[in-house]
Amino acid sequence: MSDEDLKNILGGFYMITSIVVMRGSDGKSKSKFQFHQYNRRFVSPLRFYNIFDTHVLHAPQSLDSGFHQSIMNYLVGAFKPPCNIFVSFADGRSRKQVPLKKENGKTVMAALFQSQESIVGEVVIEPVHRKKVEHNGVKIELLGQIELYFDRGNFYDFTSLVRELDIPGELYERKTYPFEFSTVEMPYESYNGVNVRLRYILKVTISRNYVSNIVEYQEFVAVIDELYIQFSNSKQADGKVRNYTPTPSINNSIKMEVGIEDCLHIEFEYSKSKYHLKDVIIGKIYFLLVRIKLKNMELEIRRRESTGSGPNTYVETETLTKFELMDGAPVRGESIPIRLFLSPYELTPTYQNINNKFSVKYYLNLVLVDEEDRRYFKQQEITMYRLLETS
């Protein structure tokens, strides 16, 4: 039985009036479509069809054995979009590729763009099986969005650019639409944290009457001085903006003395207070007084993420790494060197009150543990930034 025959049957003699979900003896749910059979003068008793099982319940004698599979194919196809949408960039193949970690833990490659550069590409719309697609216009949007996970699903748009690609009409075959967003300003770095996500997306919308619009998302990762574009086959994706900063003109060292009166007195020193993401933390720990039996010492890098404001502020602290500085008991006058490379760790720049939604800060946490497993802490905030790469 063809799809056209099925449409005639459903339109002329049968009408789906409801969907009945029943539980069988095996404990599994079974969905059944409920039909009315029409005649010129009366409506016959209800007939039930089990669409998703291997047999049909009480099938009318007027229908052949292919009715079950035909309805299945017809209904499944009704929920698929009548066309495919593809988004590509003008020189995506020739661009430098960089790795980017997705939310699901997978790593994809992203092409590298310069900041303030125009985003140029094309949208291809291809009707399925050359079927006609009626529409009220086609547009592409560039959106910058922030999503707070305690308010998941609600996006706060801080950037929105629109380009109209087509006027209302009909599509019968594959059609290509070029697009360009000139010198796009993206004010914030993309970020995917514990409680918040900041992303950039390209959104293609085919507007239609009476039925839902057809929407396709293409994620990209943007940088203020450089722009990463991330290609993905997923229906919806995220993007990132990354700030590149010149070397700070003032970068003071950190030097502090801490301890417990008459028990422990140490002095620690870090060579600077601002670090780029591929930098090296260099410093020293001086033991001026040791009357506690210490067994080890380690240095932690912590990231503190604050989202929301006022009473709705959420603070999440992550320990990104622990670096052992000492194993064994130190003596008075001993000096312990510090040399910690930052490049192996997934760090971001420090963010200060991004769009009044969130902040991200980094800390160096010095931890000393005595023989009774008591822990002594000293925490110092540092500033992280992304260094502009010249090569």
Side-chain angles (χ1 to χ4, degrees):
M1 178 181 294
S2 67
D3 288 346
E4 193 64 33
D5 294 335
L6 177 62
K7 293 177 186 178
N8 293 334
I9 291 174
L10 293 179
F13 299 97
Y14 295 88
M15 180 181 69
I16 300 176
T17 58
S18 64
I19 299 177
V20 181
V21 180
M22 304 178 65
R23 189 169 298 278
S25 59
D26 57 355
K28 296 182 180 179
S29 296
K30 299 180 179 181
S31 300
K32 299 177 177 62
F33 285 86
Q34 187 167 309
F35 289 82
H36 274 127
Q37 183 179 23
Y38 282 90
N39 200 303
R40 292 183 179 180
R41 296 185 179 179
F42 66 94
V43 177
S44 72
L46 299 180
R47 310 287 179 97
F48 295 93
Y49 299 90
N50 188 345
I51 301 302
F52 299 105
D53 289 341
T54 58
H55 60 280
V56 180
L57 302 182
H58 308 295
Q61 297 179 356
S62 58
L63 300 181
D64 59 30
S65 60
F67 181 69
H68 167 249
Q69 188 61 41
S70 298
I71 292 182
M72 183 66 178
N73 295 338
Y74 177 72
L75 294 176
V76 171
F79 294 101
K80 291 184 178 180
C83 62
N84 296 318
I85 303 175
F86 307 95
V87 182
S88 61
F89 298 89
D91 53 356
R93 292 186 178 181
S94 61
R95 291 282 181 173
K96 179 183 177 181
Q97 299 290 311
V98 294
L100 180 68
K101 191 174 182 179
K102 299 270 293 175
E103 282 186 332
N104 57 11
K106 295 182 180 180
T107 300
V108 297
M109 298 303 294
L112 183 64
F113 278 70
Q114 292 293 324
S115 171
Q116 297 296 319
E117 192 174 6
S118 298
I119 300 178
V120 183
E122 63 182 24
V123 175
V124 177
I125 301 178
E126 189 175 55
V128 178
H129 304 307
R130 295 185 177 272
K131 292 183 178 179
K132 180 178 69 173
V133 179
E134 297 180 355
H135 64 87
N136 291 332
V138 181
K139 66 179 179 180
I140 183 170
E141 300 171 85
L142 190 155
L143 302 175
Q145 301 177 327
I146 296 176
E147 180 187 26
L148 302 177
Y149 290 160
F150 62 80
D151 191 22
R152 186 178 290 274
N154 292 326
F155 294 95
Y156 302 89
D157 293 348
F158 57 85
T159 294
S160 179
L161 301 173
V162 183
R163 298 289 183 270
E164 298 292 339
L165 301 180
D166 201 354
I167 60 175
E170 298 176 347
L171 293 174
Y172 295 92
E173 57 186 4
R174 178 188 178 100
K175 191 171 183 179
T176 301
Y177 303 93
F179 69 86
E180 178 177 357
F181 293 95
S182 302
T183 58
V184 180
E185 180 180 357
M186 290 163 285
Y188 306 120
E189 169 112 4
S190 297
Y191 179 70
N192 191 4
V194 178
N195 292 320
V196 64
R197 174 174 61 164
L198 190 152
R199 67 176 188 174
Y200 290 82
I201 60 173
L202 287 176
K203 177 182 177 183
V204 179
T205 303
I206 301 177
S207 301
R208 299 193 295 171
N209 280 330
Y210 309 115
V211 291
S212 59
N213 296 337
I214 304 173
V215 181
E216 175 73 10
Y217 297 86
Q218 173 67 56
E219 60 185 303
F220 70 90
V221 183
V223 190
I224 290 185
D225 289 309
E226 295 181 345
L227 173 67
Y228 295 111
I229 298 295
Q230 173 191 344
F231 297 92
S232 173
N233 292 326
S234 62
K235 289 295 181 184
Q236 184 159 345
D238 317 289
K240 293 187 178 179
V241 176
R242 294 182 174 175
N243 289 308
Y244 283 91
T245 308
T247 303
S249 57
I250 300 177
N251 197 349
N252 298 323
S253 62
I254 301 174
K255 188 174 183 180
M256 296 184 66
E257 293 185 9
V258 296
I260 304 173
E261 186 176 0
D262 297 329
C263 294
L264 178 66
H265 188 192
I266 65 175
E267 179 183 278
F268 65 87
E269 180 180 0
Y270 303 117
S271 61
K272 51 189 177 181
S273 58
K274 300 175 182 178
Y275 298 88
H276 63 80
L277 303 186
K278 306 297 181 182
D279 215 334
V280 182
I281 297 175
I282 298 176
K284 290 184 179 181
I285 307 293
Y286 301 95
F287 289 89
L288 305 178
L289 176 64
V290 183
R291 291 180 180 174
I292 298 177
K293 294 183 179 180
L294 301 175
K295 66 177 183 180
N296 63 57
M297 179 173 60
E298 60 188 19
L299 183 65
E300 300 176 343
I301 300 178
R302 292 187 171 185
R303 175 163 56 209
R304 183 170 299 168
E305 178 186 286
S306 302
T307 57
S309 60
N312 295 323
T313 300
Y314 296 83
V315 178
E316 190 75 30
T317 301
E318 297 178 84
T319 300
L320 303 179
T321 184
K322 295 181 179 180
F323 181 70
E324 189 175 56
L325 299 175
M326 178 191 71
D327 185 12
V331 296
R332 180 179 178 179
E334 188 170 1
S335 174
I336 306 296
I338 300 174
R339 191 175 184 87
L340 175 60
F341 291 85
L342 299 179
S343 55
Y345 310 111
E346 296 181 0
L347 305 174
T348 68
T350 297
Y351 304 139
Q352 297 286 351
N353 196 25
I354 299 299
N355 202 237
N356 295 321
K357 297 297 181 184
F358 71 96
S359 299
V360 177
K361 297 181 180 180
Y362 287 87
Y363 295 87
L364 293 178
N365 190 40
L366 186 65
V367 182
L368 296 95
V369 183
D370 64 16
E371 292 185 345
E372 298 180 2
D373 287 331
R374 290 177 297 193
R375 302 171 70 87
Y376 307 90
F377 303 91
K378 182 57 183 179
Q379 191 167 262
Q380 177 64 42
E381 184 179 357
I382 59 174
T383 300
M384 301 298 301
Y385 64 95
R386 195 184 303 279
L387 185 65
L388 177 62
E389 300 175 1
T390 56
S391 59

